[in-house]
Amino acid sequence: DCGDTGSATVTFTATDDCGNTSETTAIFTIIDTTAPDITGEAQSLTVECDGAGNQVNLDAWLQNVAGSLASDICGGVTWSNNFTDLSDDCGDTGSATVTFTATDDCGNTSETTATFTIIDTTPPSIGIPAANLTVECDGGGNGMQLTEWLETQGGAGAIDICGGVTWTNDFPGALSDDCGATGSVTVTFFATDECNNTSETTATFTIVDTTAP
């Protein structure tokens, strides 16, 4: 039967000295009602986001049964799991709690559970830093040039492999009060990814007056 189980129907014959016989029959049966022994529990795994679902890491973790070990004294063990999908966390991160089931040849089961988690602790990569900008005084605060410089992060560019990037800055609202209508301001631009990791780049906007009356 399944695993190392089985049965035998045996007829016992009683014979007297004169050769007369009587019979009685019974069955000897080996059964297996014992679940596999989990000798090594499943181990949770946390990996850094690669922007593509970390499929290689996930597949290897599932195929390796999260490091689980099981044995059964009456036969072999087959593993299965209930993984369906990762949760939708920030950016391309997520997690899944998976139950791994060890089934012996007779259908007895044992379970062990672990969690696969993708995290993002890597800040955006600033490929192009913010650039200083110096403009000639227009007598009105050079508002259009300042606004454009702020809205384009001083020309800075950033990427993040695990999601989008949002820009903010710490512009104080006004320039320093230099001669005439000139002035300057040093601004830090912050690139923040969907998991709130942040990178910075700093540049200065300057209004100068080199034009004679």
Side-chain angles (χ1 to χ4, degrees):
D1 294 336
C2 60
D4 293 329
T5 67
S7 63
T9 300
V10 180
T11 298
F12 298 91
T13 304
T15 306
D16 65 19
D17 291 341
C18 293
N20 302 298
T21 62
S22 295
E23 296 179 353
T24 183
T25 300
I27 300 173
F28 180 86
T29 305
I30 301 171
I31 62 173
D32 178 13
T33 60
T34 304
D37 181 24
I38 302 286
T39 57
E41 296 289 340
Q43 300 297 307
S44 296
L45 178 63
T46 299
V47 297
E48 184 72 18
C49 179
D50 67 2
N54 294 80
Q55 198 63 49
V56 172
N57 303 111
L58 176 59
D59 288 345
W61 185 74
L62 291 172
Q63 291 169 9
N64 192 42
V65 202
S68 306
L69 296 172
S71 62
D72 190 83
I73 62 173
C74 198
V77 174
T78 302
W79 285 99
S80 60
N81 66 71
N82 67 345
F83 173 75
T84 55
D85 203 356
L86 296 170
S87 64
D88 184 17
D89 295 341
C90 59
D92 293 327
T93 67
S95 64
T97 298
V98 179
T99 297
F100 297 90
T101 302
T103 305
D104 67 18
D105 293 337
C106 293
N108 302 298
T109 61
S110 295
E111 297 179 350
T112 180
T113 300
T115 301
F116 180 87
T117 306
I118 302 173
I119 61 173
D120 178 14
T121 62
T122 304
S125 173
I126 295 182
I128 304 173
N132 297 330
L133 179 62
T134 299
V135 297
E136 184 70 18
C137 178
D138 66 2
N142 296 81
M144 291 183 60
Q145 292 165 306
L146 175 59
T147 298
E148 182 180 0
W149 184 78
L150 290 172
E151 289 179 348
T152 59
Q153 298 81 236
I159 58 173
D160 189 84
I161 64 171
C162 198
V165 175
T166 301
W167 285 96
T168 56
N169 64 70
D170 66 354
F171 176 63
L175 279 65
S176 63
D177 185 15
D178 295 342
C179 59
T182 68
S184 65
V185 62
T186 297
V187 178
T188 299
F189 298 94
F190 303 93
T192 304
D193 66 21
E194 294 179 31
C195 293
N196 292 320
N197 303 296
T198 302
S199 296
E200 302 176 0
T201 179
T202 299
T204 300
F205 180 88
T206 305
I207 302 173
V208 297
D209 177 12
T210 62
T211 304

